[in-house]
Amino acid sequence: MSCNVARLGHMGIHVSDVERSIEFYRDVVGLKLTGKWGPPDFFRPICFMRCAEKHHTLVLFELPEDAVKAGLTTTDSEHRTDVGLHHIAFEVDDRENWLLAQEHVKSCGVEFVSGPYVHAHEGLDENGFIGGSGSHAFYFLDPDGNRIEIYCWMMRVTKPSVSAPNPDL
């Protein structure tokens, strides 16, 4: 027996400055603000952001000041040495929108930390691997060092294959 989930609904992440993160996720990634709250109604700043019409895709929780003073690790989340978030991936519909997303991110002055490339052995580079989904991807960092992926063309798993050798079907 399982929960029979259909997809990941949303992610919640800690950030050092909700306002700065709202600006980044709105301007660079293209999310829309649903709402934000803070003292005195909520004990710390929080906001909900969305990709389309569903209430939220991403929830931003501002860390308390004492946690920020204790020393945040804002290096690339791929290189952190503690448990937690590795990356957040946002899917676009097709290659054309993926290419346009690259241009947009660059025009915002944000540098890629990885990619663009194909996540598969047919990508013929050091980031391709036999278990890859075949998606086209590139990565960049948000203001707190959280790695963001924009991708298209995720394969469907309907039977065993070189990229899905032991799938639960």
Side-chain angles (χ1 to χ4, degrees):
M1 181 115 202
S2 71
C3 293
N4 294 319
V5 297
R7 67 192 47 81
L8 178 64
H10 67 272
M11 295 189 69
I13 61 172
H14 284 120
V15 298
S16 60
D17 182 331
V18 161
E19 291 298 329
R20 178 181 70 173
S21 293
I22 288 170
E23 185 177 314
F24 177 86
Y25 282 99
R26 181 187 278 149
D27 297 347
V28 177
V29 179
L31 298 185
K32 298 171 184 154
L33 181 67
T34 296
K36 61 183 176 177
W37 298 266
D41 302 318
F42 198 77
F43 70 99
R44 62 182 174 174
I46 179 178
C47 83
F48 291 103
M49 299 192 80
R50 66 189 191 285
C51 292
E53 293 177 351
K54 288 191 178 179
H55 186 271
H56 62 279
T57 306
L58 184 65
V59 185
L60 304 174
F61 298 93
E62 188 168 303
L63 286 168
E65 248 182 78
D66 56 343
V68 175
K69 288 177 186 172
L72 282 177
T73 302
T74 58
T75 58
D76 183 345
S77 54
E78 175 167 284
H79 304 295
R80 294 181 189 161
T81 57
D82 199 358
V83 296
L85 178 75
H86 182 278
H87 71 279
I88 303 169
F90 293 98
E91 183 177 11
V92 295
D93 289 334
D94 50 41
R95 184 171 182 266
E96 180 179 18
N97 283 303
W98 181 69
L99 292 169
L100 290 170
Q102 288 179 55
E103 290 176 24
H104 173 73
V105 169
K106 287 178 184 177
S107 76
C108 291
V110 176
E111 294 182 29
F112 296 172
V113 293
S114 189
Y117 49 75
V118 178
H119 279 309
H121 61 286
E122 67 265 29
L124 301 176
D125 64 25
E126 70 277 2
N127 295 299
F129 56 99
I130 197 140
S133 68
S135 63
H136 287 50
F138 66 94
Y139 297 80
F140 53 96
L141 304 180
D142 79 359
D144 290 303
N146 296 307
R147 191 171 269 237
I148 308 296
E149 174 185 4
I150 304 288
Y151 74 93
C152 69
W153 293 350
M154 178 75 66
M155 73 176 263
R156 293 181 165 283
V157 177
T158 61
K159 59 188 172 196
S161 69
V162 67
S163 291
N166 309 97
D168 291 332
L169 299 173

